[in-house]
């Protein structure tokens, strides 16, 4: 973490891990590189969960396709496939139609696709994650049999595989690290054969650990991220547990936190899909106004 002091004595602590992770940076760079070439460009799903970045991409001419029907209607140009990964059937469809595409799924997400594709040949698959998240939808789309998605320890307790089946458990890359450990303990206590692959991304673990450490020691905390971004929301939950005065904002204009004389230290972190310029803007504002 980096610490900065202002003359008034306010201390601003910004997480070193705040902002773009390796996978998001790679995906965004590739999408902008194509957009800058002026090619007919589509993205299937938002490339990353950050409206600011998506608007900039649209300004450069990219068109965002949100459904498989819209994607099926494409007959030319290049399609960028979102960083959260897509189901196998989407790639098969593009191949069949001969549509050029660039898959910018993060390599850590692709690794999960490979695991579940391989393991689902002989095992039941359990995905620990949010069933409504596109990453989980993508992972399910690589399973060769219907997968079960669980997101709470209670659901893990209730889960029973078919008689005699072996089970493989994976996690969404951005799943809450501690909650995952709890769920793993429940699975380990069950008597059936289970292999657990912790596929939570390291960047997520570092992000969450650093956010918790900072939030525990400051008077107020600011988490910057899009509410659609799973890892940003998790950072907010973690920080709010440690620091009562935690604000979750997408851009500076949403900041509600105000100096009332009781704030001497402010912590800042940001989700993996938050661009640097927004983090800097917030930092500058806090330094000047708190
Ligand atoms: Fe990839 Fe981890 Fe980022 S899975 S997209 S490096 S949070």
């Amino acid at each position: 973490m980096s610490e900065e002091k202002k003359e008034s004595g306010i201390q601003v602590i910004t997480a070193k891990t705040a902002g773009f992770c390796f996978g998001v940076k790679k995906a965004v760079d590739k999408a902008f590189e194509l957009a800058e070439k002026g090619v007919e460009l589509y993205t299937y799903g938002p490339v990353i969960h950050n409206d600011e970045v998506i608007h900039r991409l649209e300004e450069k001419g990219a068109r965002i396709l949100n459904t498989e029907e819209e994607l099926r209607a494409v007959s030319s140009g290049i399609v960028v496939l979102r960083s959260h990964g897509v189901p196998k059937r989407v790639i098969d469809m593009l191949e069949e139609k001969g549509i050029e595409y660039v898959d910018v799924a993060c390599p850590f997400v692709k690794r999960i696709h490979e695991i579940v594709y391989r393991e689902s040949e002989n095992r039941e698959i359990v995905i620990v994650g949010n069933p409504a998240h596109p990453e989980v939808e993508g992972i399910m789309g690589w399973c060769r049999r219907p997968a079960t998605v669980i997101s709470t320890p209670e659901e893990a307790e209730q889960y029973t595989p078919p008689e005699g089946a072996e089970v493989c458990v994976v996690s969404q890359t951005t799943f809450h690290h501690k909650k995952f450990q709890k769920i793993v303990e429940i699975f380990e206590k069950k008597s059936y054969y289970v292999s657990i692959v912790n596929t939570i991304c390291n960047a997520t673990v570092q992000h969450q650990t650093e956010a918790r450490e900072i939030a525990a020691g400051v008077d107020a905390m600011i988490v910057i991220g899009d509410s659609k971004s799973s890892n940003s929301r998790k950072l907010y939950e973690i920080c709010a547990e440690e620091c009562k005065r935690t604000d979750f904002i997408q851009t500076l204009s949403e900041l509600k936190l105000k100096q009332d004389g009781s704030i001497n230290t402010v912590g800042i972190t940001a989700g993996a899909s938050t661009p640097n310029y927004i983090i800097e803007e917030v930092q500058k504002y806090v330094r000047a106004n708190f």
Side-chain angles (χ1 to χ4, degrees):
M1 61 189 85
S2 67
E3 296 183 16
E4 291 176 35
K5 262 195 171 178
K6 181 179 110 111
E7 279 156 18
S8 65
I10 273 284
Q11 198 180 13
V12 180
I13 306 173
T14 304
K16 263 197 199 148
T17 50
F20 279 7
C21 60
F22 142 86
V24 164
K25 187 171 185 320
K26 213 165 160 260
V28 170
D29 285 353
K30 188 70 204 173
F32 276 94
E33 181 195 313
L34 288 166
E36 242 117 64
K37 280 187 187 153
V39 293
E40 182 185 346
L41 193 66
Y42 301 90
T43 76
Y44 178 54
V47 174
I48 64 163
H49 280 152
N50 188 284
D51 284 347
E52 292 288 312
V53 174
I54 300 308
H55 287 154
R56 276 172 48 215
L57 209 51
E58 280 181 314
E59 275 165 18
K60 292 196 180 292
R63 271 175 278 170
I64 322 291
L65 309 169
N66 288 307
T67 64
E68 276 184 52
E69 285 66 45
E70 287 173 336
L71 182 63
R72 217 167 281 131
V74 171
S75 54
S76 56
I78 303 178
V79 181
V80 176
L81 302 174
R82 66 190 181 208
S83 62
H84 310 95
V86 297
K88 185 173 182 300
R89 64 171 185 275
V90 168
I91 291 179
D92 291 346
M93 186 243 283
L94 292 169
E95 295 270 353
E96 265 166 40
K97 287 189 69 179
I99 300 291
E100 200 178 331
Y101 66 90
V102 180
D103 186 359
V104 296
C106 173
F108 298 132
V109 175
K110 280 193 182 156
R111 179 178 161 245
I112 308 178
H113 294 172
E114 285 161 19
I115 294 171
V116 298
Y117 186 70
R118 188 183 63 230
E119 297 293 315
S120 58
E121 195 177 352
N122 302 310
R123 289 180 173 150
E124 296 296 310
I125 302 291
V126 173
I127 305 162
V128 180
N130 172 0
H133 193 279
E135 182 188 326
V136 174
E137 187 219 348
I139 298 170
M140 286 171 84
W142 285 85
C143 297
R144 299 192 227 186
R145 59 175 82 199
T148 306
V149 184
I150 62 167
S151 50
T152 62
E154 292 72 33
E155 285 169 3
E157 295 279 9
Q158 279 157 15
Y159 174 76
T160 324
E163 183 80 30
E166 295 186 1
V167 181
C168 171
V169 182
V170 295
S171 56
Q172 185 180 348
T173 53
T174 49
F175 200 74
H176 194 307
H177 172 53
K178 283 203 170 151
K179 219 177 186 185
F180 182 69
Q181 298 300 357
K182 265 193 207 159
I183 291 173
V184 166
E185 281 164 27
I186 294 167
F187 274 103
E188 280 172 346
K189 268 191 240 142
K190 299 203 179 210
S191 52
Y192 50 79
Y193 181 87
V194 58
S195 84
I196 292 159
V197 196
N198 182 344
T199 45
I200 296 181
C201 156
N202 223 5
T204 303
V205 178
Q206 285 164 359
H207 247 118
Q208 294 178 356
T209 310
E210 196 187 16
R212 187 180 293 281
E213 276 168 20
I214 295 177
V218 292
D219 300 323
M221 186 77 197
I222 302 169
V223 180
I224 316 164
D226 195 303
S227 59
K228 287 188 293 304
S229 152
S230 157
N231 76 84
S232 302
R233 278 202 318 268
K234 298 262 160 54
L235 284 179
Y236 170 67
E237 278 170 30
I238 289 170
C239 292
E241 268 169 33
E242 301 293 335
C243 177
K244 278 200 193 100
R245 299 177 78 175
T246 297
D247 222 353
F248 186 26
I249 59 169
Q250 184 170 340
T251 57
L252 180 59
S253 62
E254 293 173 8
L255 188 71
K256 284 184 215 76
L257 198 68
K258 289 212 163 56
Q259 177 60 286
D260 57 4
S262 68
I263 300 177
N264 295 310
T265 46
V266 177
I268 299 176
T269 190
S273 42
T274 307
N276 251 336
Y277 71 88
I278 301 184
I279 305 173
E280 276 161 21
E281 220 171 55
V282 173
Q283 255 178 337
K284 236 190 236 166
Y285 178 86
V286 172
R287 263 185 261 134
N289 296 280
F290 276 66

